[in-house]
Amino acid sequence: MTTARTYGQMCPLARSMDVLGERWTFLIVRELLLGPKRFKDLGDSLPALGPNRLTARLRGLEDAGVVRRTTLPPPAGVAVYELTERGEGLREPLGALGRWGLGLPPSPDIDTKTTRVDLIALSVSSVIAPDRLVGLKEIYEMHVGKETFHVEIADGRMRTRSGPAPVRPDLEITCRVRTFLKVIFGGSRAADAVRSGELQVAVGSEEVVERAFDLLSGTEIDYPVYLGV
């Protein structure tokens, strides 16, 4: 006999969904893939979830060994939730789901004001083929619209994280959301955006700019749907 919280099947996919299949759970993991977050941060990112359900989902993820509570070192010193090594193993499969979702047609139920470029970068960067990253160790800091995030390449992996880079980046750029989406989705080239002034480079050479956006590009979609136009 099975309970309401399990599929009761000795199948790897079914077991994964026993842990992750409840509504909002994937999106909590999505936020933590961007780095450790306070309970309030998670609540602000997922306002429709509500604090009671957020508490329940986090408890379930803790029990499954996906998430743990910890305290950031000084000077922050705040309590946060972060992914465990097992939780970090979800980066590639969730990134693949996100990249697959880039091509889905728009729905009238979706509010385009919820567009976040850090989540688009997360979906793209999580599934970069390792052979494209061989020998690279770089950090790109992105100021896009009101968002700041960074993309780190190390050990053959590319990770998108919230906030500014922890060390001096190899590339630091500023642009509007529209410009960022045009460049990564094939509407224009990074070099052209730099020349036109749409993309400002505070740190980094032309070569690094081209490399960063080449890695983040490659999925041609109708990007205006993300802008509501």
Side-chain angles (χ1 to χ4, degrees), residues 103-153:
L104 292 177
S107 163
D109 299 323
I110 294 176
D111 181 1
T112 56
K113 292 179 182 177
T114 63
T115 296
R116 284 171 48 191
V117 291
D118 62 343
L119 298 180
I120 295 172
L122 173 67
S123 296
V124 173
S125 64
S126 298
V127 292
I128 297 292
D131 61 350
R132 298 186 66 192
L133 306 175
V134 172
L136 280 180
K137 185 176 176 60
E138 295 181 332
I139 297 182
Y140 312 137
E141 185 171 306
M142 310 271 184
H143 306 276
V144 184
K146 296 180 180 179
E147 296 181 52
T148 295
F149 61 95
H150 63 279
V151 179
E152 181 176 359
I153 302 174

